[in-house]
Amino acid sequence: MAVPVDVIPRRPTLLFIVVLLLLLVLMSLSSRTRYVGETRTMFERSVMTIFAPIPKVVNWVGSSASDMYHGYLDMRHSVQENSELRRMVQKLTTDNLTLRQSEGDLKRLRGLLGYSEEFAMPTTMAQTVMLDISGRFKSVILDRGSSSGLDVDDAVVNSNGLIGRVVLTTKDMSKVQLVTDSNSSVGVLIERTRRQGVLRGDGLGGAQLYDIPATAPTSGRATPSSPPESTAFIRRGSRSAWSPKSKRDRPSS
Amino acid sequence: MTITVKPAVDFSSVEEVIVLHTRKIPSEVVRYAP
């Protein structure tokens, strides 16, 4: 029959004495087993041999746990840093594209502004809002109209040359007929020979130079190899932005 | 006779233009060298 715990008498003094006696016995055994010249007794060596792996295991577990914890923290930090870097790369890529676009716009506008300063007459800079060059009737819609001073028959140019003329204006918009339009006709003359003609759009992205006298010495000049000599000019001494592409097609009778 | 000419302007990429408030096209249209 088991004795209740409360019934067992507690004798800490007796236990203390027993432990002390045990320690005395162990110490006496240790002193007897010490060899000459040895710093450790056999008991100490045995204890160290038995318990030596335990600190190693504890140290390995501790260092492994520490490494795993720090590795986990580093991984979390790396994931967060990677996410931030990806966002930054996307933002910088967008900024780079925007800056490249702005740089191109700046160059183009700077060239256009410098070009507009070449003219002594009043000019207005406008932006195309619609471009219709697919059909036979070539036209461009500008974002400026009569409120900006635009009027019908105003000439429209850019830094590359003549574009067309204004054919319709509203308060805030205007329509420009391109020189390649099939209904467009511009009086021109050939620079070298001073022969006059009419430049008509062919509706296909090019133009034809008509009404050049058959006796005009244009052969040998209206070739791609000599564009400066064969540049076509607007009548009244004003130049157009056209350069002949090919030679005489057919002599008029 | 008829001469086929090719425009110096690429109309498909026209963005900004200058409107001259005149019908007469000045000589700077060609003389300008960007």
Side-chain angles (χ1 to χ4, degrees), chain A residues 14-25:
Chain A
L14 179 60
L15 181 62
F16 181 69
I17 290 170
V18 169
V19 169
L20 278 180
L21 287 175
L22 188 60
L23 287 174
L24 283 174
V25 170

Side-chain angles (χ1 to χ4, degrees), chain A:
Chain A
M1 182 177 178
V3 179
V5 179
D6 297 339
V7 181
I8 297 174
R10 292 182 177 177
R11 294 177 179 175
T13 306
L14 179 60
L15 181 62
F16 181 69
I17 290 170
V18 169
V19 169
L20 278 180
L21 287 175
L22 188 60
L23 287 174
L24 283 174
V25 170
L26 290 173
M27 289 176 66
S28 62
L29 285 175
S30 297
S31 62
R32 289 177 188 172
T33 56
R34 184 189 300 273
Y35 298 126
V36 177
E38 276 287 334
T39 57
R40 295 174 298 183
T41 63
M42 186 183 73
F43 178 72
E44 290 172 342
R45 289 197 302 273
S46 302
V47 169
M48 289 184 65
T49 303
I50 292 171
F51 293 103
I54 294 178
K56 291 182 181 177
V57 171
V58 171
N59 187 26
W60 179 80
V61 170
S63 62
S64 298
S66 175
D67 290 344
M68 289 176 63
Y69 177 70
H70 286 100
Y72 174 74
L73 290 182
D74 291 343
M75 186 189 69
R76 290 289 302 271
H77 180 70
S78 298
V79 168
Q80 185 178 1
E81 190 177 32
N82 189 28
S83 177
E84 290 179 0
L85 287 175
R86 283 179 183 276
R87 277 199 303 271
M88 195 175 295
V89 165
Q90 289 178 351
K91 183 178 180 301
L92 289 176
T93 302
T94 306
D95 291 346
N96 190 22
L97 290 174
T98 305
L99 286 176
R100 283 176 183 271
Q101 180 70 28
S102 299
E103 184 185 9
D105 292 345
L106 180 63
K107 285 183 180 176
R108 193 176 63 252
L109 291 173
R110 186 175 289 169
L112 202 63
L113 183 62
Y115 184 45
S116 67
E117 291 175 354
E118 296 282 327
F119 302 108
M121 66 193 67
T123 59
T124 300
M125 296 187 71
Q127 193 162 10
T128 58
V129 293
M130 197 187 82
L131 192 64
D132 181 16
I133 59 171
S134 59
R136 188 168 181 82
F137 303 101
K138 317 288 187 185
S139 63
V140 170
I141 304 297
L142 302 181
D143 65 341
R144 298 296 178 93
S146 57
S147 61
S148 300
L150 271 66
D151 202 356
V152 175
D153 287 335
D154 282 352
V156 180
V157 301
N158 71 359
S159 58
N160 291 324
L162 179 65
I163 291 177
R165 70 184 181 97
V166 177
V167 293
L168 180 68
T169 59
T170 62
K171 184 180 178 183
D172 298 321
M173 287 189 175
S174 57
K175 185 177 182 180
V176 176
Q177 181 190 47
L178 301 182
V179 285
T180 53
D181 186 277
S182 57
N183 294 322
S184 170
S185 294
V186 183
V188 299
L189 61 83
I190 298 175
E191 181 183 22
R192 190 175 205 179
T193 62
R194 313 301 292 180
R195 297 287 182 177
Q196 296 184 359
V198 177
L199 186 74
R200 294 174 186 160
D202 59 5
L204 301 173
Q208 303 278 334
L209 196 55
Y210 292 92
D211 301 335
I212 302 296
T215 57
T218 56
S219 62
R221 288 194 296 270
T223 59
S225 59
S226 59
E229 289 84 7
S230 55
T231 303
F233 289 84
I234 300 295
R235 192 176 287 166
R236 295 179 233 148
S238 300
R239 300 182 177 185
S240 74
W242 296 81
S243 58
K245 176 188 178 186
S246 64
K247 51 283 151 194
R248 175 188 313 178
D249 287 334
R250 63 174 194 280
S252 60
S253 57

